[in-house]
Every structure is written in C-alpha cells, then in structure tokens.
Amino acid sequence: MSVFVTQLFNGLSLGSIMLFIAIGLAITFGLMGVINMAHGELIMVGAYATYVVQQFFAQYAPQSMDYYYVIAIPVSFFVSALLGLGLEKSLIHHLYHRPLDSLLATWGVSLILQQMARTIFGAPNVAVLPPEWLDGGVHVAGMVFPYKRLFILAFVAVSIFVLYMYLNKTAAGRRIRAVTLNRDMAACLGISTQKVDAYAFAIGSGFAGLAGCALTLLGPIGPTIGTYYIVDAFMVVILGGVGKVIGTVLGAFGIGLIGTLTEYSTSATMAKVITFALIIVFLQWKPSGLVSMKTRSLD
Amino acid sequence: MIKKNWMYWLFFLALFLAPFYLTEFRLSLLGKFLCFAMIAIGISLIWGYTGILSLGHGVYFGLGAYCMAMYLKLEASGGRLPDFMEWSGVNKLPWFWKPFEQPVIAISSAIIVPVLLAMFLSYFTFRNRIKGVYFSLLSQAIVVVFVTLFIGKQEWTGGTNGLTNFSTVFGFSLSSPLTQIVLYLLTVVLLLSMFLFSRWLTRSRFGRVLVAIRDSENRVRFLGFNPTTYKVFVYSLSAAFAGIAGAMFVLQVGLISPAMMGIIPSIEMVLWVAVGGRSSLIGAIIGAIVTNGAKSFFSENYPDIWLLFLGGLFIAVVLFLPNGLTGVYQSVRQRKKQGEVRANEASSHVLQRVSRF
C-alpha cells in the first residue's frame, strides 16, 4: 500500500513537471500551430537565470540567501519571456504559414542557445543550492514526501490557476482564446492578431522559464537540460490536445502516472516503450487528443 | 533524355570514377556521404513531394545498420559469443541473433525491419488523419524510444558502444582497399538505382498524387483517392532506403552506435535535404554531400563553431532559401533566360523601328 502511494506521489510529481514544461508549448502550439523546438532551451535559460540570481545573492547579499529563490521566480519568468518575445518578433513571425519550417528553424535556435550556454557557463553541469527551508519532508505512516516535490506541486498548481484565470477572466485572455479558435474571424473583429501572437508567445516562453526555475530544485543543471524533457512534453501536448488548459493538465498527469507506474513494475527502458505504445493506441481512439476544441474547419 | 540531363550523368560518372582520383581516406568519406545521400532521397520523397516531415529517419537507418552489423559481428566472432555479450554475462546467443548468421537473412532484414516499423507507425497515424507537426513529433518520439531501448538492453545490442570490431564480410577482409572500393562502387550503383527509381516514381501518376496530397490532402480525398495508402507506401519506401543506407554505412565505416540514430542525427538528415532543395532528388543528394563535407571540415578544424554553424544554417535555409541550393540554381537560370528574352525583345523592337524607316 505504502509503495503504491509513494509511486502515485512520484507520478504526480513527474506529471506536475511535465505539465509545467508542456503548458507553454500548448499555448503557442494551440494559438499559432507552431511547435517551438527551442522551448527546451527556454527552460534552460530559466534554470540558468535562477543560477545567476543565486550567484548574485551569494556574492552581494549572503545574509538573505534564504530568499533568493523568491526573487529567482519572477526573474526566470521575465528573462525567458523576453527571449521568447525576441524570437517571435525576429523569426517565428515570418513562418506562420509554414509550421514544418518553423519547427526546423526553432531547432536551429535551440542549437545556438545550447552552444551559447556552453560558452558562457561551461559544458559541465552547475548546481543550484535549493533554499534551506525546502530541505526535509513530511513523514506520513512511514512514507516521506519531500518538501521540494510538494513545493513544485504547489508552484505548478498556483501557476496553472493564474494562467487559467488569465485566459478565461481577462480581456487579454479572451483575445488569445478568440485567435486560437478562429484567427481570421478574430482579425475581422478588430483584434490585432500580431500583438496577441507576440504576447502569447512571451507568456508561453515565460512558463518555460518558470519550469526551468522549478527544475533547479531537483538536481544540477546543464546546457542540455531542456532536451531531456522536451520530447515527453511534446507527447503531453499530443495526448492532451490543443486549445484548452485542462487537456494539457490531464495529458501531463496521465503520462507522469503511466511513466512512473510502468517504470516501477518493469524498467526505465521498458517504461518508455510502453508509454509510447499506449499513446499510439490512445490516438487510435481519439486522434485529436483528450480534450480538443470543437471546430468546423477541415484542416 | 541524355542531352537534356547531361549534368546528372556527368555527376554520377564522376562518382563512379572517384576511386581513380581520390585517396583511400577521402574515398571512404565520400562512400559514407553517399550512404547519407540515399537517406536524403527518401526524405525528399516524403517531405518535398508528399509533405510529411519525419524526424525519425535515424531509427530506420540505425535498424538497417544494426541488422547488417549483427551479421558482421557474428562472422567476426567465428562461432563464439560476441565479446560484449560475454562482458555482460550472457552465456547463450539470444534467439533473435541466431538467424543473423545467414547473410541473406541479415541483408533482407536490413530492409524489412525498418519497413515494418515505418508501416506500423505511419499506418496507425495516417489512418486517423494525424498529420503535419503531430506526425513529426511522434516520429521523433520513436527515436527516443529506440535509443533508450538500444542503450538499455546492453547485453543484446552492445549498449552505448554499439557494434564494432568487424573483420570480414562473406570472407573478404573489410580492411583491404579492394573490398572498400567494391563496396564503394556498390554504394554508387545502389544510389543511382534509387535515384532513377524515385525519379520515375515522382514523374508517374503516383508521383502526381503525392504532390497533390502535399498541396491539399482533403481535396485528394474528395476526388476519391485514399491518401493513407499513398502516404504509408511512400513513407515505408523511404524507410527502406534508409535501411539500405544503414547496411552500406556499417560495411564501410565499421561501426554503428545509438548516438548515430539519435534525435540530432535524425534532424540533421532533414537539414541535408533542406540545404539541397527539398523537392529535388538530385538536390537532396548534393545537399547530403555538401552538408556533410562542410561538417567534416568544420568539426575537424573548429569543433566549437560547428553547432553554431549548424543552427544558423537551419535558420538561414528556412528563412532565405526555402528551395535550397537547387532553388538558387533555378532562379539564376531563370533570370538568365528572362534576360535573354528581354534582350531579344528589345532588339526586335529596334529592328521594327528601323524597318519602318
């Protein structure tokens, strides 16, 4: 029983990380039909931003080291969001009607960003020390739930809640949903689709930055940290369907739980194979993912 | 035909004669590039002609290569267990290694295994009209699955080191220059036949349906064709090309490891085709040779810059050269032609004026 609960918790924890990584992708993909292959590198940028904030505190304000993480969260969000905005304005903007080409171009961006991280921070991984108040864990009936994982779960829950409120309760969010649903019609009704694209892309990138910030709690970070998670994040987007936050949430926790449970009962390698096979099987039943927006358009 | 396409024939003639004017090292490098060119032809068929972007061709290449390598490994071990199996504590040859003692089975499975996998993946996705970016991502996921599988099952596949240390093929020493030249020529013959077959295919009625699917799949469906059949066929065909390329690659390079079938090599394969010109078969071949030539030059001389260069190349080709080198060549030719036409018009204009007097 306790083993099962531990596995369940691990699955939820993995799912929350998947969700964090995939949610930004899902926004940009749903909105523009563009898969941003550099999303993993935006995660890396967020992680390194956290590292830089930590170094800064260690250098200039060692007495308030405990609180550097609080500062690192907005910093990583804005650094990644700005980078994403620049990327949208300079590159992706030109490739809206060529989704496959934008996939290749953003992959080129990801290579360049990786190489730049290698040049600036060096190829070996760097360690970010988690704040002390996150050490230890909750002990329940012989099981340990580490504070770090609980913190990430809460972090993700709050972020997703804020995103949901933003998309559903504000005017800007309504514009994003309108463009996602029907770009031409939204443009006819006076929404500047270019502006919507730009800030939606910035928000999606910012979420990648937050994910990077969260990942620093789990282990050392390196230039290729993004590529490690990104393919699973794509699978989350495919499984969850595009256009609705809830689909991504279900997809992420689905993949997280299947991944950990199969890994526990078989091995890490077999878990990957089984998860992938299950996704293919699932797509036979629902080709457009768990939750998809109803639309009459053919393509 | 010969007159119109003399450049193609000249190109292949130059490839056939390469053993006479290249050093042994350069020849083996060129042989490797020609294997890559085979993959490029297949990718041009599915991407340039049919509009399917596959990021998973490294797997088909790898499977073909591993099938051939298993045979070579067994031949090199001379009836005993392959060395890496002994190291990982396996004392009996696994059942699926057994058939690979037969060269016929090894060579045919180098084609059949990739094709079966490609058919499985493409049938179950295209059947549900999953296409575009979705398919690209699924094909990329299959790369991750296979790479983790091949690294994880070290006792069966040799793990990260892959399969290497081969000695002979059909009893001929792999290290002798003559064997290498024969293998090189065989590669050129295979490449030429793939090229001619694909050229015939794309110019046939079948090829027109492929292009129609690329431009508007739904219209093709409304006209009564079943795009799924066409797409599955052409995707499997390109997997077969990649499998053959893998087998020839292992014979010439003498090594296959999971790193050669990973995400980055798979997406590089797409870049070769993008550089050469995606909807041109000869462009794909030239793109593969040029890009890999640049790669071996850069990574020999400036290993750090190579990744930056590769990334920049991706962006530049997509933004500025959507039709690759072939596109450049064609637009230059077109401009020249237009210039000639304009010159003719102008001179006839002058003549008319003159004749009026």
Side-chain angles (χ1 to χ4, degrees):
Chain A
M1 181 61 199
S2 75
V3 169
F4 180 73
V5 174
T6 314
Q7 289 307 318
L8 203 65
F9 177 74
N10 286 343
L12 282 178
S13 173
L14 182 67
S16 63
I17 294 164
M18 294 276 97
L19 175 57
F20 227 164
I21 293 168
I23 192 76
L25 268 179
I27 296 173
T28 49
F29 183 52
L31 188 68
M32 308 181 242
V34 164
I35 276 285
N36 179 13
M37 297 291 271
H39 195 76
E41 277 55 45
L42 292 169
I43 294 171
M44 172 203 66
V45 168
Y48 273 111
T50 312
Y51 172 72
V52 169
V53 170
Q54 188 213 23
Q55 295 300 91
F56 183 84
F57 266 71
Q59 193 82 34
Y60 297 104
Q63 68 280 7
S64 44
M65 247 332 245
D66 277 353
Y67 304 105
Y68 86 87
Y69 202 75
V70 183
I71 307 290
I73 291 173
V75 168
S76 54
F77 180 89
F78 282 110
V79 169
S80 289
L82 274 179
L83 193 64
L85 191 67
L87 194 62
E88 203 275 343
K89 285 281 176 211
S90 59
L91 183 66
I92 294 168
H93 182 72
H94 302 287
L95 297 170
Y96 274 144
H97 301 292
R98 292 150 62 193
L100 296 182
D101 283 8
S102 67
L103 195 153
L104 292 178
T106 48
W107 196 73
V109 173
S110 88
L111 277 186
I112 293 177
L113 287 176
Q114 273 183 31
Q115 188 59 38
M116 277 164 69
R118 229 170 261 137
T119 318
I120 299 171
F121 296 100
N125 289 354
V126 295
V128 176
L129 290 176
E132 274 176 21
W133 41 273
L134 283 177
D135 286 341
V138 186
H139 294 260
V140 180
M143 294 170 284
V144 185
F145 302 112
Y147 281 137
K148 283 177 198 160
R149 301 239 167 207
L150 289 172
F151 176 76
I152 292 179
L153 264 173
F155 190 7
V156 174
V158 170
S159 311
I160 296 294
F161 178 72
V162 171
L163 180 69
Y164 179 82
M165 293 310 270
Y166 175 76
L167 285 179
N168 288 288
K169 304 286 173 198
T170 66
R174 190 162 54 236
R175 284 197 287 275
I176 293 185
R177 282 185 296 137
V179 178
T180 310
L181 204 56
N182 191 335
R183 172 172 292 264
D184 295 335
M185 185 52 91
C188 287
L189 294 174
I191 295 175
S192 164
T193 52
Q194 285 196 4
K195 258 190 206 159
V196 169
D197 287 340
Y199 61 73
F201 203 86
I203 291 171
S205 311
F207 267 83
L210 288 183
C213 185
L215 283 180
T216 57
L217 295 178
L218 296 179
I221 52 170
T224 53
I225 188 171
T227 46
Y228 183 74
Y229 291 97
I230 196 69
V231 177
D232 287 333
F234 290 147
M235 291 300 106
V236 169
V237 175
I238 289 179
L239 183 66
V242 290
K244 291 224 166 143
V245 175
I246 185 73
T248 316
V249 174
L250 292 177
F253 284 111
I255 287 187
L257 285 176
I258 293 170
T260 28
L261 292 181
T262 47
E263 190 171 333
Y264 177 70
S265 42
T266 55
S267 68
T269 1
M270 283 320 284
K272 277 235 189 279
V273 180
I274 292 171
T275 313
F276 181 74
L278 285 179
I279 290 173
I280 296 277
V281 169
F282 178 80
L283 289 176
Q284 303 307 305
W285 175 47
K286 269 187 180 277
S288 53
L290 276 164
V291 180
S292 58
M293 278 197 290
K294 293 211 168 35
T295 154
R296 283 166 177 248
S297 72
L298 197 54
D299 283 309
Chain B
M1 170 122 178
I2 289 180
K3 211 172 183 182
K4 199 173 144 201
N5 298 314
W6 59 274
M7 280 172 83
Y8 293 170
W9 301 113
L10 202 67
F11 175 68
F12 277 105
L13 192 69
L15 288 183
F16 269 115
L17 297 178
F20 292 108
Y21 60 81
L22 284 182
T23 61
E24 211 174 297
F25 172 70
R26 295 279 163 206
L27 189 71
S28 76
L29 214 54
L30 185 61
K32 194 168 99 177
F33 295 170
L34 293 186
C35 295
F36 293 154
M38 294 181 191
I39 312 175
I41 292 185
I43 292 183
S44 170
L45 277 182
I46 57 167
W47 186 35
Y49 285 89
T50 325
I52 308 167
L53 176 60
S54 166
L55 304 178
H57 265 55
V59 166
Y60 308 124
F61 170 77
L63 286 176
Y66 267 98
C67 285
M68 194 68 212
M70 280 159 86
Y71 162 73
L72 293 176
K73 192 77 198 170
L74 288 175
E75 196 175 276
S77 314
R80 292 187 307 131
L81 266 186
D83 44 11
F84 68 88
M85 286 190 185
E86 277 175 22
W87 301 333
S88 5
V90 177
N91 29 24
K92 218 177 118 239
L93 201 62
W95 58 268
F96 58 87
W97 270 75
K98 268 263 168 348
F100 286 89
E101 286 168 349
Q102 307 294 327
V104 183
I105 294 181
I107 292 172
S108 48
S109 54
I111 303 171
I112 293 170
V113 174
V115 166
L116 282 181
L117 178 69
M119 276 170 74
F120 168 80
L121 177 72
S122 58
Y123 177 71
F124 284 107
T125 47
F126 295 146
R127 193 177 76 116
N128 290 308
R129 307 188 188 177
I130 296 171
K131 55 188 176 188
V133 189
Y134 284 93
F135 181 78
S136 307
L137 297 180
L138 283 173
S139 66
Q140 190 176 46
I142 220 163
V143 174
V144 178
V145 167
F146 270 84
V147 170
T148 26
L149 199 64
F150 273 59
I151 293 178
K153 294 285 167 203
Q154 190 171 359
E155 65 275 22
W156 293 342
T157 60
T160 3
N161 299 328
L163 298 176
T164 184
N165 288 335
F166 312 127
S167 53
T168 53
V169 54
F170 313 137
F172 297 102
S173 164
L174 273 174
S175 52
S176 95
L178 188 64
T179 321
Q180 284 300 326
I181 288 179
V182 171
L183 285 174
Y184 171 81
L185 290 177
L186 184 61
T187 312
V188 180
V189 170
L190 282 171
L191 182 69
L192 181 62
S193 31
M194 283 178 193
F195 172 69
L196 291 177
F197 176 72
S198 308
R199 201 173 138 85
W200 168 77
L201 193 70
T202 51
R203 292 182 174 200
S204 67
R205 192 183 143 84
F206 185 91
R208 285 170 194 235
V209 178
L210 293 185
V211 174
I213 290 175
R214 177 191 70 190
D215 292 339
S216 179
E217 187 170 339
N218 282 316
R219 250 180 245 184
V220 174
R221 191 172 274 125
F222 298 155
L223 287 170
F225 293 94
N226 184 2
T228 312
T229 324
Y230 287 84
K231 285 166 93 173
V232 170
F233 174 80
V234 76
Y235 191 70
S236 311
L237 180 70
S238 78
F241 284 2
I244 296 171
M248 293 312 294
F249 176 87
V250 154
L251 285 170
Q252 294 178 77
V253 177
L255 163 72
I256 180 71
S257 73
M260 294 173 181
M261 53 195 265
I263 289 183
I264 294 189
S266 303
I267 205 162
E268 259 179 43
M269 291 170 185
V270 176
L271 180 70
W272 306 334
V273 180
V275 166
R278 64 186 74 166
S279 41
S280 154
L281 296 169
I282 196 80
I285 297 177
I286 291 172
I289 297 174
V290 168
T291 321
N292 281 296
K295 181 178 179 173
S296 60
F297 172 77
F298 267 102
S299 45
E300 272 165 28
N301 297 308
Y302 320 95
D304 286 347
I305 302 180
W306 167 244
L307 275 183
L308 279 181
F309 179 75
L310 191 67
L313 196 61
F314 259 105
I315 300 171
V317 165
V318 166
L319 277 185
F320 304 116
L321 298 174
N323 291 317
L325 294 174
T326 336
V328 175
Y329 173 72
Q330 274 165 356
S331 66
V332 165
R333 224 172 59 169
Q334 200 135 20
R335 222 171 267 175
K336 213 168 137 194
K337 231 183 227 165
Q338 273 172 355
E340 273 167 20
V341 170
R342 222 172 282 151
N344 284 342
E345 270 174 7
S347 63
S348 63
H349 210 66
V350 170
L351 278 179
Q352 275 176 2
R353 284 259 176 110
V354 169
S355 61
R356 262 188 221 158
F357 282 103

